[in-house]
């Protein structure tokens, strides 16, 4: 690596020279904090015995070794190490969090069982109950997928109609404004009467939570399209169908994606409530079942799974948005 690239790396990431070479300072600090967490977990006695203590100590020690190796390898990777360098402070913070979490729960007992679990308690859940968790994830994915995608399809179509047709907006917008502020869970009594099963009622609740923000923001996006675009297209002989699909919808896509992001978060918030209506499996059912037995380590483990799934879906939406709206770069 050239001296120029090496000096730039040092200026950006805080790397320092070591006998003519550079090292990643945040990587060294991350290795130290993760090593401290491994030492605390392995050498200090537990107030209450937890499963997977040795496994967690080994996993964290391996993480510390990886960061130690990366602290010398990253400066040589150049542009390919930007992501690692960017998240360096986060790796340090995670190591500090592991150490404090371990001390406050398993070692000192200041956060007592069963209300709080050390990290090895969550790892023990993943090791021993992974089959049931996978089944619950599959059931949740089916329910969420049916509810979310049906909700955004209906919400998108309704939003386009509301933004395009003044007659449709005259009747539809007041209804949407009346229903929109009401939490989806407030419609549970109606869903029990209308739908033949709790599964269909749960799909409706998720669809309602995800569809309303998509409808509102799509309507706003279509309504805000510059009218000169329509005038130019009509001058060239465009029909109403062309104006809707080739002008209005593409121009309103930034608003649509904002609605999709909001709908995703709202759908996950309602998902737990929807699965408590009588589902046999699912992450919401898993949370309720283990809460009833005070198995809070299982509850926290399921919450982390839900958070990771939601974060992954948000990331996918960002990728989809960047690809579909790439033509708007430099315009917006």
């Amino acid at each position: 690596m050239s001296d120029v690239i090496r000096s730039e790396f040092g200026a950006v990431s805080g790397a320092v020279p070591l006998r003519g070479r550079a090292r990643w300072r945040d990587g060294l600090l991350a290795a130290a904090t993760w090593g401290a967490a491994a030492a605390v977990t392995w050498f200090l006695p537990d107030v209450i015995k937890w499963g997977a203590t040795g496994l967690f100590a080994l996993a964290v020690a391996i993480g510390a070794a990886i960061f130690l190796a990366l602290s010398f390898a990253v400066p040589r990777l150049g542009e390919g190490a930007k992501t690692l360098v960017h998240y360096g402070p986060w790796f340090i913070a995670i190591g500090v969090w592991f150490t404090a979490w371990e001390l406050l729960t398993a070692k000192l007992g200041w956060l007592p069982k069963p209300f709080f679990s050390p990290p090895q308690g969550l790892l023990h859940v993943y090791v021993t109950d992974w089959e049931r968790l996978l089944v619950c994830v599959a059931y949740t994915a089916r329910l969420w997928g049916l509810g979310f995608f049906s909700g955004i399809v209906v919400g998108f179509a309704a939003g386009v109609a509301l933004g395009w047709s003044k007659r449709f907006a005259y009747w539809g917008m007041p209804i949407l404004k009346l229903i929109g502020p009401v939490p989806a869970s407030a419609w549970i009594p109606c869903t029990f009467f209308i739908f033949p099963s709790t599964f269909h009622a749960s799909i409706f609740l998720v669809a309602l939570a995800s569809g309303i923000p998509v409808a509102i923001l799509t309507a706003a996006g279509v309504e805000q399209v510059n009218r000169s675009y329509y005038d130019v297209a009509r001058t060239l002989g465009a029909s109403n169908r062309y104006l809707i699909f080739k002008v209005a919808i593409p121009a309103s896509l930034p608003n649509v994606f904002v609605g999709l992001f909001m709908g995703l978060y709202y759908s996950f918030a309602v998902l737990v409530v929807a699965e408590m209506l009588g589902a046999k499996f699912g992450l919401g059912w898993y949370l309720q079942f283990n809460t009833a037995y005070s198995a809070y380590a299982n509850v926290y483990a399921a919450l982390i799974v839900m958070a990771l799934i939601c974060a992954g879906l948000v990331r996918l939406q960002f990728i989809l948005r960047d690809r579909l709206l790439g033509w708007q770069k430099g315009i917006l």
Side-chain angles (χ1 to χ4, degrees), residues 12 14 27 66 104 113 151 154 177 243 269 314 318:
V12 173
I66 292 174
L104 294 175
K113 186 179 181 180
V154 175
K177 290 180 179 179
L243 293 176
V314 170
F318 272 112

Side-chain angles (χ1 to χ4, degrees), residues 74-115:
V74 162
R76 300 181 180 183
L77 299 179
E79 296 295 325
K82 277 187 175 181
T83 302
L84 282 173
V85 171
H86 176 73
Y87 288 105
W90 272 104
F91 297 140
I92 299 172
I94 291 173
V96 174
W97 167 247
F98 279 155
T99 305
W101 186 6
E102 185 71 26
L103 284 171
L104 294 175
T105 53
K107 306 309 178 183
L108 300 176
W110 291 355
L111 300 177
K113 186 179 181 180
F115 302 104

Side-chain angles (χ1 to χ4, degrees), residues 139-154 199-200 202-204 206-208 210 271:
Y139 272 79
T140 295
R142 181 184 66 165
L143 172 60
W144 177 84
L146 291 172
F148 179 76
F149 288 107
S150 60
I152 63 174
V153 168
V154 175
F199 180 72
H200 292 88
S202 300
I203 292 176
F204 171 78
V206 176
L208 186 65
S210 56
L271 184 62

Side-chain angles (χ1 to χ4, degrees), residues 273-294:
V273 178
E275 287 187 329
M276 291 179 179
L277 296 179
K280 300 298 181 182
F281 285 100
L283 291 174
W285 169 86
Y286 189 88
L287 292 172
Q288 184 185 39
F289 178 82
N290 287 285
T291 300
Y293 288 93
S294 298

